[in-house]
């Protein structure tokens, strides 16, 4: 039986994600008290990263609309409460693209995993990952993102307003 012309694949994904969240929440209770979980690895090799992405990904789905986003500013209002309860330096698990960069910047996890069935969002996230790794600072990142030569007047201490004013002029 199909519900309102919804394909079974997204329903299958919802079931799997719900099941995984249930397992993770229950597994947290199995960690002996007084003993911390093992820390996440400092980094993954390129091969480990690619295998994780390839082996754990479903095939791309077909959607009525593509919602390719990199970040949303309206999700920031929860950060003060989030920082009171979440530990920094752990593993960040995110769903969908919208809020992840904002939360990752605030939580400073050792590793971040973003789950999204839309492969277009995977492509966007991988582009940003590459730009982050190639860039030495925010100015370099904006230079690469917009394919503009780095203005000589900007430094790693330049404000966001200064950076975008200079690049707007370029």
């Amino acid at each position: 039986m199909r519900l309102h012309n919804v394909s079974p694949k997204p329903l299958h994904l919802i079931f799997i994600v719900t099941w995984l969240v249930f397992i993770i929440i229950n597994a947290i209770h199995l960690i002996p008290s007084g003993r911390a979980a093992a820390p996440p690895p400092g980094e993954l090799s390129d091969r480990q990263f690619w295998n994780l992405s390839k082996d754990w990904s479903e095939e791309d789905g077909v959607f009525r609309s593509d919602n390719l986003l990199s970040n949303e500013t309206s999700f920031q209002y929860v950060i003060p409460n989030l920082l009171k309860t979440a530990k920094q330096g752990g593993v960040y698990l995110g769903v969908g693209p919208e809020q992840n960069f904002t939360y990752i910047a605030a939580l400073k996890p050792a590793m971040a995993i973003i789950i999204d069935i839309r492969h277009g969002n995977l492509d966007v996230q991988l582009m940003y990952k590459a730009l982050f790794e190639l860039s030495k600072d925010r100015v370099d990142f904006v230079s690469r993102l917009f394919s503009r030569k780095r203005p000589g007047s900007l430094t790693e201490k330049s404000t966001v307003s200064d950076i975008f004013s200079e690049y707007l002029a370029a």
Side-chain angles (χ1 to χ4, degrees):
M1 171 194 246
R2 296 180 83 184
L3 301 174
H4 304 290
N5 201 24
V6 175
S7 72
K9 190 149 189 139
L11 292 176
H12 175 71
L13 178 65
I14 291 169
F15 172 77
I16 289 174
V17 170
T18 304
W19 181 76
L20 285 173
V21 169
F22 176 79
I23 295 293
I24 291 168
I25 289 170
N26 283 305
I28 289 170
H29 297 289
L30 297 176
I31 298 173
S33 60
R35 188 174 141 200
E43 80 179 47
L44 297 176
S45 69
D46 289 343
R47 179 175 298 277
Q48 289 172 315
F49 177 80
W50 181 252
N51 287 338
L52 179 66
S53 180
K54 180 177 62 72
D55 294 345
W56 285 47
S57 292
E58 287 191 66
E59 292 182 27
D60 196 12
V62 177
F63 304 95
R64 290 189 186 130
S65 66
D66 283 326
N67 187 27
L68 302 180
L69 303 169
S70 62
N71 206 18
E72 290 284 334
T73 58
S74 62
F75 291 100
Q76 296 181 14
Y77 68 93
V78 301
I79 291 177
N81 287 333
L82 183 63
L83 290 173
K84 290 177 187 175
T85 59
K87 294 179 183 176
Q88 293 186 343
V91 176
Y92 173 88
L93 294 175
V95 178
E98 294 85 5
Q99 70 286 358
N100 290 301
F101 288 153
T102 301
Y103 296 162
I104 291 168
L107 291 171
K108 298 174 179 46
M111 182 179 292
I113 299 172
I114 301 170
I115 301 165
D116 193 327
I117 191 172
R118 296 165 293 197
H119 282 225
N121 281 323
L122 173 63
D123 296 338
V124 170
Q125 301 297 332
L126 289 175
M127 180 198 69
Y128 277 107
K129 179 184 184 312
L131 291 174
F132 291 144
E133 289 182 1
L134 291 170
S135 302
K136 65 181 179 180
D137 58 29
R138 294 185 304 179
V139 179
D140 198 31
F141 173 81
V142 174
S143 174
R144 292 175 190 279
L145 180 64
F146 294 113
S147 300
R148 298 286 182 257
K149 186 176 177 184
R150 181 184 178 126
S153 61
L154 297 175
T155 69
E156 66 276 350
K157 295 185 180 189
S158 296
T159 67
V160 172
S161 295
D162 292 340
I163 292 170
F164 281 99
S165 293
E166 288 292 321
Y167 279 105
L168 185 60

